Amino acid sequence: MRRFLRPGHDPVRERLKRDLFQFNKTVEHGFPHQPSALGYSPFLRLMAIGTRSGAIKLYGAPGVEFMGLHEENNTVMQIHFIPDQCQLVTLLDDNSLHLWSLKQHGGASELREEHRFTLKGPPGSPPSATQVTAVLPHSSREVLYLGTESGSIFVVELPSFRVLEDRTISPEAVLQRIPEDNCNRRSCELVEALREHPKNPDQILIGYSRGLIVLWDLQNNKATHHFLGSQQLENLYWQRDGSKFISCHYDGSYAQWPVSSDNRQAEPLENTVPYGPFPCKAISKIYWQTTKNGLPYIIFQGGMPRASYGDRHSISVIHGSQQTAFDFTSRVIDFFIIFSSDPAAEFDDPSALVVLAEEELVVLDLKSAGWPAVHPPYLASLHCSAITCSHHVSNIPLKLWERIISAGSKQNIHYSSMPWPIDGGTNIAPDPPQRDLLLTGHEDGTVRFWDASGVCLHLLYKLSTVRVFLTDADPNDNMNTLGEDEWPPLRKVGTFDPYSDDPRLGIQKIYLCKYSGYLAVAGTAGQVLVMELNDEDAEHVVDHAEADLLQDQEGYRWKGHEKLKTRDGPVRFEAGFQPFVLVQCQPPAVVTSLALHSEWKLVAFGTSHGFGLFDHQQKRLVFVKCTLHPSDQLALEGPLSRVKSLKKSLRQSFRRIRRSRVSSRKRRGGGGNASEVQEANAKFDQDTLQEMELAPVQRKIEARSAEDSFTGFVRTLYFADTFLRDSSRHCPSLWAGTNGGTVYAFCLRVPPAERRMDEPVRAEQAKEIQLMHRAPVVGILVLDGRSTPLPEPLEVAHDLSKSPDMQGSHQLLVVSEEQFKVFTLPKVSSKLKLKLTALEGCRVRKVTVANFGSCKTDDYSENDLAVLTNLGDIQIISLPFLKLQIRYPCIRKEDVSGIASCVFTKYGQGFYLISPSEFERFSLSTKWLVEPRCIVDVPEVTSNNHVHNKSGTENAARNSSPDDGGEDERKSGRLMEHALLNDEKVLKEIQSTLEGGR
């Protein structure tokens, strides 16, 4: 009875808990969900991405990452870096502007929001009067120019966001400077583009949507040139020397305009429709890049023929006779070119094209022949095919790691060898202490191996299971092949491909043994593949075996999908993991649990109908066990079937309600004749619990009926070498837990190594445990004589773990959705239990054993249970006494997919999907923490072109040259004054001086 009482406060344990446990959300891996804006700073060599949820993320060299979140959670429409500064401005869809700065704190840079501002018009003016459509940060770093829907251009001071009303450029002022026959009152409707002259900062180019383009003199407040386009304007781009600019238009054309001092009104030098003469889509953005060989790079978005290619998302690159339209599988958000940023350079010499599409980031090498893609070190498109499952393996041996990288490098030969071009900032985080793998299974039958050791989630290797099966698509199809006369010259790029040839190929379970290199994967159609790592390409026959889980029972008919058809004869596989045996479950239902024991060469698998054991060394089935209950009709309909009955589920809900009412009436009535002993015990337990004051983590559990659907669903499988028959001899065993609260235990006889191929593996059922509350079993664990979890297969053989204690008595821990229960072995008598609270409907969703080390000393570590509930909470529970240590809120309880996707690591970290394309990484341990830690040093721009390192905490102030005059000196003085007043050290010194004077 002592275990029901409230525990006392132990200060020593509380202090130790602080040294062991700490919850942190550390980094987001993958590709931002619903990106909406892109920015790039050639000065900092940093890229910024904004999203529809108001997030802003900065990326530089691998490991250099920053994240900010607008409080409004509005869509980020535009991102602009302030020239030569550690600052950027974002425009949201609520018309607000936000100034962000990179500042140093604790030895590392941080992204902070400094100011926010919304442009307001005079009273009574329509919203369009101040709706910002174009933003230009001026090179003086003092002002922003804001173009609006009304045609007005407002000037806003930085960093205060004060509107300089006397410098507003109104449409009326623009029209006064243009000959009357070339303008009308609608010429200045909407400002599409603002561009600063590359050689003269006192001139800006203003582009209006109806085709009027004006070169405006900021000093004299007048238009010096005007240009009239015949088509609706989309964007503008200056050539490097400022002698010409390019305009692109809604009809799919672009024009080149000369700018000369003697010609105030110019006609275009040429007007080109690259994919004409038929009607084309708009060209929304264009670059004209000069090169040493004289042939420019013309790079633009859109412009494809509307009728045939109106649904394509393309960016075209033209260089002399070379022309390619890069075809993306998702909408292009924006793009930029990386080129020479040295002001003294004569040519642009572009090196890379960076494209942000809705579902991926693609970087193309413009220096290499064929313009190949560059393999990204971060921003991986995790959801190139939808993620269906995840599996984490910690502390990978170096040999296996190198073999996986070698296999992956053979797949990446078509990528460019160019180093990653976005390389700003410095990663100052410590090197990862070990090599970790995150394996993701996908809907298209692939498994991707990610380097999860550090901040950057990097793809190492991709495994495809498609070759084993016959599908509608030929794996040798190449979508990139084009005929010589193909027009437009489309070329598919990127990895995002959301369409699966067959949903039955989807990977549902993965199990990798890091010591032997064996890999087991299981899929949607009951397929279980066992693979081994091969460093060379190979061609061989994949052996097949069938496991009939219904065991010819009458009255059952499978209504779901058919099994996948397999290829006959030898199949050619690439270097890497190659399947050598396929076990096909019948019926071909989703594989719900999987376990691999590489030392015994056994693989166990479970579905909604039962479970089986396969000997992958002898390639024979050891046994199958059907777990179906007579009422489990839903288990025969399959996940892809549409015949699931709503009426049946409603009926079952009402039955449960009725049963609970009947059972409560029976308890009030004092019982009946049948099962008198059982009812008496139940009544005693009930009365005892009601009389006692329960600890807050305890609760009453209502038993479920065996008639509930899916009771035979196998939730967990576990191999253990333990005492199952008697306390004197231990033997290999297999444990299985079902959705109906049943645990099956089988004794296994595995022949010794010298007779392993001659004698069969034998299995015999030894135990069957039925939990009284019939809650689904989500985890099974055996603790040795020291109350330590049994080591992994081959872990002791590799001297990475102590041998388990076989002298003391072993214990069995069964984790159901509603409680944790410890049994003694081999008698299987209840020893200890912990129940979860039901006040909020709490259920266990994920459980794993994690090792927590102290942050104060390397000499102490302990094993605990990390538990995720359906409320999104994470609880840490001690072993073997099942004491709740701490509880952290982690995932919103409404985020069902995030909770379902969570995977824990062996050392107290975890991952879960916050969107289809992003993993959130978190840590429960004080010792194991993987988070970005980086610094951005800013080169200071000076008048004599010398470059000095300047910290990201300061605002770089540009000194004026003697020829610039007194006004520029005053501007520089104001900038320096502002920089000093924003420096925390300077402010502290001033404060201490004042205090000392007082």
Side-chain angles (χ1 to χ4, degrees):
M1 303 298 286
R2 214 176 296 157
R3 67 174 178 268
F4 291 103
L5 300 176
R6 294 178 184 271
H9 182 76
D10 182 357
V12 177
R13 180 62 191 172
E14 291 300 315
R15 198 159 49 245
L16 182 58
K17 278 162 44 174
R18 287 195 294 271
D19 296 343
L20 292 172
F21 312 123
Q22 182 181 348
F23 178 74
N24 290 287
K25 290 185 178 180
T26 55
V27 66
E28 292 175 4
H29 295 303
F31 185 77
H33 185 50
Q34 296 182 326
S36 56
L38 177 69
Y40 178 68
S41 169
F43 182 71
L44 300 174
R45 298 184 72 84
L46 294 178
M47 171 180 66
I49 295 176
T51 71
R52 289 191 209 170
S53 60
I56 178 170
K57 301 185 178 186
L58 270 61
Y59 300 93
V64 176
E65 295 184 17
F66 303 95
M67 181 180 170
L69 186 65
H70 296 88
E71 289 182 9
E72 295 82 357
N73 289 342
N74 288 71
T75 299
V76 180
M77 302 299 292
Q78 296 182 36
I79 302 173
H80 299 274
F81 282 87
I82 309 299
D84 306 341
Q85 292 283 316
C86 264
Q87 291 182 312
L88 64 152
V89 171
T90 56
L91 171 68
L92 305 190
D93 64 351
D94 64 353
N95 207 40
S96 62
L97 287 158
H98 302 254
L99 179 66
W100 297 82
S101 295
L102 283 170
K103 297 209 167 187
Q104 261 193 29
H105 178 73
S109 298
E110 290 182 353
L111 182 64
R112 297 180 188 172
E113 185 177 358
E114 299 288 328
H115 300 285
R116 65 187 65 189
F117 163 76
T118 301
L119 187 63
K120 293 177 181 172
S125 62
S128 62
T130 55
Q131 184 67 44
V132 178
T133 56
V135 180
L136 172 64
H138 195 260
S139 60
S140 67
R141 307 187 292 278
E142 291 185 323
V143 292
L144 287 177
Y145 289 90
L146 306 177
T148 62
E149 277 188 7
S150 63
S152 296
I153 298 166
F154 295 90
V155 186
V156 176
E157 192 177 49
L158 286 176
S160 63
F161 278 134
R162 183 171 65 91
V163 179
L164 305 177
E165 295 182 2
D166 57 326
R167 294 172 63 177
T168 299
I169 305 171
S170 67
E172 292 77 18
V174 172
L175 292 176
Q176 285 175 5
R177 307 288 181 174
I178 297 173
E180 292 183 6
D181 55 341
N182 290 337
C183 67
N184 57 61
R185 65 186 183 87
R186 297 187 65 194
S187 294
C188 300
E189 274 196 341
L190 183 150
V191 179
E192 283 285 359
L194 293 170
R195 298 286 180 264
E196 183 179 335
H197 195 292
K199 299 296 183 184
N200 183 358
D202 290 330
Q203 291 184 337
I204 62 170
L205 198 61
I206 307 170
Y208 297 94
S209 62
R210 295 184 64 82
L212 174 65
I213 304 167
V214 173
L215 185 62
W216 190 262
D217 185 340
L218 298 173
Q219 288 289 345
N220 301 309
N221 206 28
K222 68 175 186 178
T224 61
H225 296 70
H226 66 276
F227 313 86
L228 287 171
S230 58
Q231 293 292 331
Q232 180 177 322
L233 181 72
E234 291 288 322
N235 221 319
L236 297 169
Y237 185 77
W238 276 108
Q239 288 192 20
R240 191 178 189 91
D241 60 2
S243 63
K244 304 182 193 70
F245 68 88
I246 315 297
S247 64
C248 55
H249 301 271
Y250 181 76
D251 66 340
S253 66
Y254 64 83
Q256 192 175 11
W257 304 82
V259 179
S260 58
S261 57
D262 57 347
N263 190 0
R264 304 297 178 184
Q265 178 184 347
E267 295 295 325
L269 293 176
E270 58 175 330
N271 197 325
T272 307
V273 184
Y275 295 112
F278 301 107
C280 295
K281 291 177 69 178
I283 294 179
S284 56
K285 188 173 182 178
I286 191 166
Y287 279 81
W288 185 291
Q289 299 279 283
T290 56
T291 61
K292 292 175 184 175
N293 64 9
L295 293 173
Y297 277 87
I298 305 167
I299 303 168
F300 56 88
Q301 177 184 346
M304 301 295 285
R306 283 187 183 275
S308 304
Y309 300 94
D311 59 341
R312 299 298 181 98
H313 314 289
S314 69
I315 290 181
S316 299
V317 181
I318 302 172
H319 180 57
S321 59
Q322 292 178 272
Q323 181 168 348
T324 300
F326 293 104
D327 184 18
F328 299 85
T329 52
S330 59
R331 184 171 62 93
V332 173
I333 304 297
D334 201 355
F335 73 99
F336 62 83
I337 309 296
I338 296 177
F339 56 91
S340 173
S341 58
D342 182 3
E346 188 178 351
F347 303 101
D348 293 309
D349 283 329
S351 58
L353 163 63
V354 181
V355 183
L356 176 67
E358 198 164 38
E359 306 291 354
E360 62 185 329
L361 182 84
V362 178
V363 178
L364 299 168
D365 177 4
L366 298 179
K367 290 286 190 184
S368 302
W371 302 327
V374 182
H375 195 54
Y378 47 72
L379 285 174
S381 183
L382 299 174
H383 64 317
C384 44
S385 173
I387 293 176
T388 48
C389 66
S390 304
H391 176 65
H392 188 275
V393 189
S394 299
N395 209 4
I396 302 292
L398 179 60
K399 187 175 181 182
L400 176 64
W401 186 263
E402 290 174 342
R403 292 178 72 189
I404 291 172
I405 290 176
S406 174
S409 64
K410 294 175 183 176
Q411 296 176 336
N412 296 333
I413 54 173
H414 58 282
Y415 280 107
S416 166
S417 58
M418 166 191 272
W420 186 243
I422 304 164
D423 55 3
T426 306
N427 178 18
I428 58 174
D431 291 334
Q434 61 186 29
R435 295 169 293 274
D436 288 354
L437 274 180
L438 179 66
L439 282 68
T440 52
H442 297 264
E443 190 182 42
D444 62 355
T446 58
V447 178
R448 285 169 168 81
F449 290 64
W450 305 92
D451 177 1
S453 314
V455 170
C456 296
L457 195 68
H458 181 62
L459 182 64
L460 298 178
Y461 164 68
K462 184 179 85 170
L463 162 70
S464 177
T465 62
V466 178
R467 287 186 177 273
V468 180
F469 306 102
L470 287 168
T471 59
D472 295 335
D474 186 346
N476 296 317
D477 285 349
N478 188 354
M479 297 181 69
N480 291 338
T481 54
L482 289 172
E484 291 182 6
D485 300 326
E486 185 83 21
W487 188 262
L490 286 165
R491 187 175 117 200
K492 187 176 178 295
V493 287
T495 59
F496 179 71
D497 184 8
Y499 307 107
S500 173
D501 297 326
D502 193 329
R504 296 174 297 172
L505 289 167
I507 305 297
Q508 298 295 332
K509 295 290 174 184
I510 306 170
Y511 197 104
L512 172 67
C513 174
K514 61 185 177 184
Y515 303 112
S516 64
Y518 281 114
L519 171 70
V521 296
T524 303
Q527 70 271 31
V528 180
L529 285 163
V530 185
M531 313 185 186
E532 58 185 343
L533 192 54
N534 190 344
D535 298 329
E536 302 295 334
D537 294 4
E539 188 172 359
H540 60 255
V541 175
V542 178
D543 291 294
H544 299 94
E546 282 211 354
D548 181 10
L549 296 173
L550 293 182
Q551 296 174 306
D552 300 323
Q553 295 193 34
E554 295 182 2
Y556 292 107
R557 186 170 61 87
W558 172 246
K559 302 174 187 176
H561 50 264
E562 295 181 354
K563 68 175 184 179
L564 285 159
K565 294 178 181 176
T566 54
R567 293 179 184 272
D568 296 326
V571 182
R572 183 158 190 82
F573 297 102
E574 297 176 339
F577 286 95
Q578 299 172 352
F580 62 88
V581 67
L582 165 67
V583 183
Q584 178 62 57
C585 298
Q586 286 290 10
V590 174
V591 177
T592 57
S593 53
L594 184 69
L596 177 73
H597 200 292
S598 47
E599 191 172 357
W600 301 337
K601 305 291 193 297
L602 298 174
V603 61
F605 48 88
T607 71
S608 53
H609 307 120
F611 59 96
L613 181 67
F614 186 80
D615 178 354
H616 65 76
Q617 184 166 0
Q618 292 189 12
K619 297 176 184 173
R620 62 177 288 274
L621 193 65
V622 179
F623 77 90
V624 292
K625 170 73 176 177
C626 180
T627 56
L628 272 181
H629 188 271
S631 67
D632 272 351
Q633 290 302 315
L634 281 179
L636 293 167
E637 293 181 355
L640 305 180
S641 171
R642 298 185 180 182
V643 297
K644 291 185 177 179
S645 168
L646 178 62
K647 290 181 180 178
K648 181 163 186 176
S649 57
L650 286 172
R651 258 199 317 271
Q652 289 163 345
S653 300
F654 284 121
R655 280 176 187 165
R656 275 196 293 271
I657 294 169
R658 246 194 333 266
R659 279 196 301 271
S660 66
R661 287 173 179 168
V662 169
S663 62
S664 63
R665 280 200 299 271
K666 282 182 179 178
R667 280 196 297 273
R668 286 196 296 271
N673 297 325
S675 307
E676 290 180 1
V677 176
Q678 186 175 343
E679 287 190 15
N681 289 338
K683 188 174 187 306
F684 174 77
D685 289 343
Q686 180 73 20
D687 294 341
T688 307
L689 287 173
Q690 286 175 349
E691 287 171 10
M692 294 184 62
E693 180 188 6
L694 298 183
V697 296
Q698 302 288 318
R699 77 161 185 95
K700 296 176 285 186
I701 297 174
E702 181 182 329
R704 307 183 189 199
S705 167
E707 294 178 9
D708 288 353
S709 289
F710 286 113
T711 55
F713 185 116
V714 179
R715 293 286 292 267
T716 183
L717 291 163
Y718 178 69
F719 285 108
D721 186 358
T722 187
F723 300 94
L724 199 52
R725 291 196 178 279
D726 55 58
S727 56
S728 59
R729 288 178 298 173
H730 57 90
C731 66
S733 63
L734 172 66
W735 301 76
T738 72
N739 221 39
T742 307
V743 177
Y744 299 95
F746 280 75
C747 275
L748 306 179
R749 184 189 172 278
V750 181
E754 61 271 13
R755 299 195 303 275
R756 184 63 179 81
M757 288 301 292
D758 303 325
E759 299 179 13
V761 175
R762 300 192 183 279
E764 182 182 355
Q765 185 170 337
K767 307 283 184 188
E768 182 174 336
I769 308 166
Q770 178 62 59
L771 301 179
M772 293 299 293
H773 56 291
R774 298 183 184 275
V777 178
V778 295
I780 298 173
L781 184 69
V782 172
L783 306 176
D784 69 6
R786 292 188 293 265
S787 298
T788 303
L790 295 182
E792 294 178 20
L794 296 175
E795 194 172 11
V796 176
H798 284 76
D799 296 327
L800 295 170
S801 174
K802 292 180 181 178
S803 297
D805 184 353
M806 293 298 188
Q807 303 303 318
S809 59
H810 284 199
Q811 301 172 78
L812 170 70
L813 171 63
V814 177
V815 181
S816 74
E817 283 190 354
E818 300 181 352
Q819 72 175 11
F820 302 79
K821 197 162 188 177
V822 175
F823 299 89
T824 59
L825 286 177
K827 289 185 178 181
V828 194
S829 57
S830 178
K831 180 180 179 183
L832 188 67
K833 65 181 173 184
L834 169 69
K835 301 174 185 177
L836 296 183
T837 175
L839 297 176
E840 300 161 328
C842 192
R843 299 278 187 275
V844 175
R845 285 289 176 260
K846 304 276 180 175
V847 62
T848 194
V849 176
N851 183 268
F852 293 91
S854 170
C855 62
K856 298 287 180 65
T857 174
D858 293 334
D859 298 333
Y860 183 80
S861 67
E862 66 180 41
N863 292 306
D864 296 289
L865 290 176
V867 179
L868 175 70
T869 72
N870 62 328
L871 303 178
D873 293 335
I874 291 178
Q875 302 181 11
I876 298 175
I877 295 170
S878 67
L879 285 174
F881 300 113
L882 301 183
K883 300 290 185 185
L884 178 63
Q885 300 301 297
I886 204 155
R887 175 177 172 174
Y888 301 111
C890 179
I891 311 173
R892 291 181 303 108
K893 65 180 179 182
E894 298 83 11
D895 187 4
V896 178
S897 60
I899 292 170
S901 66
C902 182
V903 55
F904 288 108
T905 78
K906 194 177 177 181
Y907 294 98
Q909 296 185 67
F911 303 81
Y912 68 93
L913 288 171
I914 53 174
S915 74
S917 59
E918 288 173 293
F919 274 113
E920 175 83 69
R921 187 178 191 136
F922 62 87
S923 175
L924 306 170
S925 169
T926 57
K927 190 173 183 179
W928 299 90
L929 198 66
V930 175
E931 60 182 349
R933 186 167 173 80
C934 41
I935 192 166
V936 176
D937 286 324
V938 186
E940 182 182 348
V941 182
T942 58
S943 58
N944 55 5
N945 290 328
H946 290 303
V947 177
H948 308 280
N949 276 341
K950 189 164 185 176
S951 168
T953 58
E954 303 169 17
N955 292 320
R958 186 166 61 185
N959 297 325
S960 59
S961 63
D963 300 331
D964 288 340
E967 178 63 28
D968 284 340
E969 288 178 8
R970 282 192 295 275
K971 288 180 184 176
S972 176
R974 285 199 300 273
L975 277 170
M976 184 61 73
E977 178 185 350
H978 172 71
L980 289 171
L981 290 177
N982 271 305
D983 193 312
E984 294 177 4
K985 292 180 180 177
V986 174
L987 288 172
K988 285 180 180 178
E989 287 181 15
I990 294 171
Q991 185 179 0
S992 63
T993 305
L994 291 172
E995 289 173 353
R998 284 199 298 272

